[in-house]
Amino acid sequence: MEHKNYNSINKSVRKKDSMQLLLGKPVYVEDVVPNDALVVKLLRSPHANAIVSEIDTKIAKLVPGVVDVYTWEDVPNNRFTNAGQTYPEASPYDRLIIDRHVRFVGDVVAIVAAENEKAAEKALKLIKVKYEILDAILDFHTAKDNELLVHPEDNWVAPCEVGGNNRRNLVASERTSEGDVDAIMNDCDIVLDRTYHTKAYNQAMMETFRTYTSMDRYGRLHVISSTQIVFHVRRILSHALGIPKTMIRVEKPRIGGGFGAKQTAVSEVYPAFVTYKTGRPAMIIFSREESQIAGSPRHEMEVRVRLGASREGKIRVLDIYTLSNTGAYGEHGPTTVGLSGHKSIPMYTGSLEAFRFDYDVVYTNTMAAGAYRGYGATQGIFALETTVNELAEMIGMDPTEIRYKNMLKEGMIMPAYYNELASACALDRCLDHCKEMFKWDEKYPVRDMGNGKVRAAGMGMAMQGSCISNLDVGSATVKLTEDGSFMLLIGAADMGTGCDTILAQMVAEFMDCSVDDVSVFGADTDASPYDSGSYASSTTYITGKAVEKACMELKQKMCTIAAGLLNCTEEEMYFEDGKIKRINTDESVSLSEIGVKAQLNNPHIAEASASHSSPVSPPPFMVGMVEIELDKLTGEVKIIDFMSVVDCGIPINPALARIQAEGGIVQGIGHTLMENVTYNADGKLIESSLMQYRLPTRLDMGNLKVEFEHSFEPTGPFGAKSIGEIVINTPAPAITHAIYRATGVWHREIPITPEKIAMTKPEGK
């Protein structure tokens, strides 16, 4: 399908749920569930590594309103993973609902179920616990092959062979290469060897983790949760509770933000266990502190980049090693780390002669990490792009020019990206466009403002993916109603990204109708067709293609029904302008007539379901440029302009795509300048509230401008690729670059706080 002028595609259509949200209608978990649910609270460990030697819940159970208190002795001994990932599951089965061995400050020691919050809180204080305190591993550099084991248990299970070994504190390990890396490195004029450190940033979504559970009228467990992964939650609960998946129904209402945190089943198992034990409805709502100390943050990573280049700026060889800290449990550990190399190295396919990418993922006694927008690409791109910027500065070449000399271009095979073809790549045009829009040539030189402040510019480029190739499945069901409108059923979760609207636009385009004539339902494991869920930037690309297939099939079925109405053959009918027409005649049948006939003495169903999976994951691309003003006395950095150009194929809804980009850029600014994660000597997280964990506001983001360069991805619906994750990846290298330009110092750890800037002088000064 070639790029053309569409009626509903590449149009900025208002979000389906916008009026409900603007008017404050009840749409979130806490809004839509009954008020009679038991309150579920969790007692959490104060120690980073300990064994519960004794626990006394007798007094706590006597508190009026307390229904029960559960400990490790009450739960099934079924190891499972909270990671919301498709079979085969890469993450190890290393969790119990409650484990006697607690592995980080915040790990669950007991579950309290009470009639009200006051009783539950009182009971928490009356549980008496004695711990055998163990030495903890808090520094992830010391974890691998440490004599201390975070997971010494014998029933640790690795469903996939990913190089994990709990006896070595390893969740995953891999070595990949192509070409003679060492020989080429030794032959290079310039070799840079740099190590970068990124923290375990918290998603800090507005709506904390929360889940409601009850038994339905058929005796099945009904779960309503703020989740991105309804089908995976069903599987996770089945494993944890030891009950069949057919006895579990999971649905999600509107989600108040997730950014990947809710691709992990952080909260679901606790009220589910209470309901399963008591038969009563139960609800858990994480406090902000719980979400901060026991959530599912980004993986802390250390990325070592060795880059070999010629004096002319040709990047000949790259050697990357990533050490990733998965924390106390292995959720997403094996899968995030790969992106740090496979989504950074391919950007320099244009010049590379060889590459090597190795990684280790280790356990520590800190909060378990998970999925966060950008996954592991964010960490790897920060490291590699900063190294490339340093190379440019070292040889006196404009950083844009060194990209032109080395970058991936359309039509190239990407050896470091599973040998995929860059079939739609506008990265060079993104750089041209961004350079002109930003006025790079004017802003790149450092400008002294005469008041102790300087202005400087920096840049970075990025790539991501559009799905997990050969794995993700997206599905859609499209139904024709008797009034000629359509119902779209999906299993993907709209978490504010607008996927409900985008997929409805696709139906409207195929069916020549208004977007208002398409209703959307989802996600519900009982009613929605199977979908891997909303993650890996896959919804538009994968589920969108399923929508396309379902619409094509439904058109054929409508032709069959129309042929019966006109007493002709199906081959004489075709779809055009929202009607079924008969070839070479003026006869036609309206959609409402077909909808009515489908319900009246008719053997043909007016609906179609389709699934889609892709053997490739075409990357979107992005270039970002930033202008900062830096106060040399205080180290304060102010963002003046951040401009970016994104290639996401053909944007289905440019307004929603732009908002996605702006939101991701702001998160990237936060990671780079202010968000911090630190543990004290006892393994307690210091930034346990939003008072300590500083997030960027409108005052911190400067002037943002996002534009698009179109490419046409032949494997995507209407030529579309993804946009959700890539947009977070350029702020860190761009801002780091600008800070170097202003101060002469390369910072290799983010966040780069004012204190670090003010107290770090250039080498030799």
Side-chain angles (χ1 to χ4, degrees), residues 52-364:
V52 177
S53 55
E54 293 181 30
I55 185 164
D56 185 349
T57 62
K58 290 192 289 290
I59 298 174
K61 289 181 179 181
L62 295 176
V63 173
V66 170
V67 173
D68 212 339
V69 179
Y70 305 100
T71 71
W72 63 273
E73 296 177 295
D74 303 306
V75 301
N77 190 34
N78 305 324
R79 293 279 171 190
F80 64 97
T81 176
N82 271 341
Q85 296 174 297
T86 307
Y87 282 121
E89 295 171 278
S91 299
Y93 285 14
D94 55 11
R95 279 189 181 269
L96 296 175
I97 298 172
I98 308 173
D99 202 328
R100 187 177 188 179
H101 185 170
V102 288
R103 294 173 169 83
F104 71 98
V105 176
D107 211 348
V108 177
V109 176
I111 302 171
V112 173
E115 302 286 355
N116 56 71
E117 189 163 359
K118 185 177 179 180
E121 293 284 3
K122 186 174 182 180
L124 286 177
K125 297 174 183 177
L126 294 173
I127 300 172
K128 297 179 180 180
V129 188
K130 289 184 179 180
Y131 297 94
E132 177 191 344
I133 300 173
L134 308 174
D135 291 336
I137 300 173
L138 301 178
D139 181 355
F140 71 132
H141 299 94
T142 67
K144 183 179 174 181
D145 293 324
N146 195 307
E147 62 180 16
L148 299 174
L149 295 179
V150 178
H151 282 275
E153 64 270 14
D154 293 331
N155 58 350
W156 183 92
V157 176
C160 287
E161 178 48 58
V162 292
N165 184 341
N166 63 315
R167 297 292 169 178
R168 301 182 62 199
N169 286 327
L170 271 179
V171 171
S173 183
E174 188 174 72
R175 310 286 182 261
T176 57
S177 65
E178 181 166 305
D180 195 334
V181 172
D182 295 326
I184 296 171
M185 194 76 75
N186 290 333
D187 189 51
C188 286
D189 301 323
I190 300 168
V191 175
L192 296 181
D193 189 339
R194 302 291 185 260
T195 300
Y196 301 85
H197 181 214
T198 65
K199 302 291 187 68
Y201 301 111
N202 202 300
Q203 295 88 348
M205 57 280 169
M206 291 179 68
E207 182 195 35
T208 61
F209 301 99
R210 55 198 59 199
T211 301
Y212 168 84
T213 55
S214 63
M215 301 303 290
D216 71 10
R217 59 189 177 276
Y218 300 109
R220 300 166 71 227
L221 181 65
H222 183 196
V223 180
I224 301 176
S225 191
S226 184
T227 180
Q228 301 168 220
I229 44 157
V230 291
F231 286 96
H232 295 329
V233 167
R234 182 178 65 176
R235 182 185 72 242
I236 290 164
L237 293 178
S238 173
H239 286 170
L241 297 173
I243 61 177
K245 297 179 187 68
T246 53
M247 296 302 293
I248 304 171
R249 173 190 178 189
V250 182
E251 62 173 312
K252 68 98 195 165
R254 169 59 51 224
I255 302 174
F259 309 115
K262 294 171 183 175
Q263 193 195 334
T264 301
V266 173
S267 61
E268 285 84 353
V269 71
Y270 306 109
F273 176 75
V274 169
T275 293
Y276 188 64
K277 291 289 283 187
T278 66
R280 296 184 57 182
M283 183 162 177
I284 192 167
I285 298 176
F286 274 40
S287 65
R288 178 58 61 184
E289 180 180 3
E290 287 181 295
S291 292
Q292 288 291 116
I293 70 167
S296 184
R298 188 181 293 285
H299 284 73
E300 176 188 23
M301 290 188 189
E302 184 176 87
V303 183
R304 181 185 178 189
V305 178
R306 294 178 68 233
L307 180 154
S310 69
R311 292 186 188 89
E312 296 74 33
K314 180 186 176 185
I315 299 172
R316 300 179 59 194
V317 59
L318 288 170
D319 184 2
I320 291 180
Y321 170 73
T322 301
L323 178 65
S324 178
N325 180 7
T326 197
Y329 299 96
E331 284 97 25
H332 301 277
T335 46
T336 48
V337 67
L339 277 67
S340 65
H342 294 306
K343 300 276 172 72
S344 60
I345 297 170
M347 293 191 293
Y348 294 95
T349 298
S351 62
L352 274 187
E353 299 170 39
F355 75 89
R356 179 162 54 214
F357 173 44
D358 301 341
Y359 61 74
D360 292 308
V361 184
V362 294
Y363 283 118
T364 62

Side-chain angles (χ1 to χ4, degrees), residues 449-651:
M449 307 307 290
N451 54 359
K453 298 179 180 180
V454 295
R455 290 196 178 187
M459 69 155 295
M461 63 185 194
M463 64 175 278
Q464 195 77 37
S466 291
C467 67
I468 304 174
S469 57
N470 296 304
L471 199 66
D472 284 341
V473 171
S475 301
T477 297
V478 184
K479 298 181 178 183
L480 175 68
T481 68
E482 64 268 35
D483 64 0
S485 62
F486 295 90
M487 169 64 77
L488 170 64
L489 285 74
I490 57 173
D494 192 329
M495 48 183 164
T497 54
C499 78
D500 287 0
T501 307
I502 290 164
L503 297 173
Q505 285 180 254
M506 295 183 188
V507 175
E509 185 66 39
F510 283 116
M511 297 305 183
D512 290 325
C513 66
S514 165
V515 177
D516 292 336
D517 290 331
V518 183
S519 301
V520 185
F521 173 84
D524 184 326
T525 57
D526 272 13
S528 301
Y530 176 80
D531 196 288
S532 300
S534 295
Y535 59 88
S537 302
S538 63
T539 305
T540 297
Y541 177 73
I542 292 289
T543 308
K545 203 68 176 177
V547 168
E548 177 183 316
K549 289 180 177 179
C551 286
M552 294 298 98
E553 184 181 336
L554 179 56
K555 282 184 178 180
Q556 192 61 46
K557 290 183 175 181
M558 291 192 296
C559 286
T560 300
I561 296 171
L565 286 169
L566 296 181
N567 295 312
C568 64
T569 65
E570 182 180 325
E571 289 71 26
E572 294 179 72
M573 309 306 296
Y574 67 98
F575 184 96
E576 186 179 79
D577 298 328
K579 294 181 178 180
I580 305 297
K581 299 180 179 179
R582 187 175 181 182
I583 296 173
N584 299 325
T585 73
D586 294 330
E587 294 178 283
S588 67
V589 181
S590 70
L591 297 184
S592 58
E593 289 175 299
I594 296 170
V596 170
K597 177 58 180 173
Q599 300 178 0
L600 179 65
N601 190 26
N602 169 62
H604 306 290
I605 189 167
E607 66 178 67
S609 296
S611 288
H612 181 68
S613 191
S614 176
V616 295
S617 176
F621 300 96
M622 177 182 182
V623 172
M625 294 180 175
V626 68
E627 180 185 17
I628 66 167
E629 184 173 271
L630 185 144
D631 188 320
K632 286 197 167 185
L633 179 63
T634 66
E636 180 187 17
V637 173
K638 181 180 180 182
I639 305 293
I640 304 300
D641 285 304
F642 197 106
M643 297 188 182
S644 67
V645 179
V646 184
D647 162 23
C648 59
I650 304 300

Side-chain angles (χ1 to χ4, degrees), residues 33-45:
V33 301
N35 295 322
D36 62 347
L38 295 176
V39 173
V40 177
K41 294 285 184 180
L42 305 175
L43 179 68
R44 298 185 178 277
S45 169

